[in-house]
Amino acid sequence: MTLLDRIGVDVGRKLRLEEAIAWAGANGVRHIDIQLDTGENAFTRFDDARCRGVREALVRHGVR
């Protein structure tokens, strides 16, 4: 693993989780930190379908 592979970005609540994953993948960022307690990213807004989509996007984009 290179140093570049270890760099992450704190997205906070600026983007919807799915958008943050796609942005990270497109920009070579492998790790994101995102706030999951408010707005569109509030855990209470996640159903099974959205969770499945997030997991698939993480794998597809190589993001953790």
Side-chain angles (χ1 to χ4, degrees):
M1 176 181 292
T2 69
L3 178 60
L4 189 57
D5 293 330
R6 298 177 63 198
I7 294 174
V9 171
D10 183 359
V11 179
R13 59 180 168 203
K14 297 174 186 137
L15 297 174
R16 192 167 191 260
L17 178 56
E18 294 85 343
E19 295 169 355
I21 294 167
W23 177 89
N27 289 283
V29 175
R30 297 294 160 233
H31 303 276
I32 61 172
D33 183 17
I34 192 160
Q35 188 174 354
L36 294 174
D37 64 349
T38 186
E40 284 294 314
N41 292 328
F43 250 87
T44 55
R45 299 189 73 145
F46 284 70
D47 59 9
D48 289 342
R50 185 170 180 197
C51 289
R52 189 170 31 260
V54 166
R55 281 191 300 270
E56 291 169 358
L58 289 168
V59 170
R60 182 173 57 253
H61 293 289
V63 176
R64 296 176 152 227

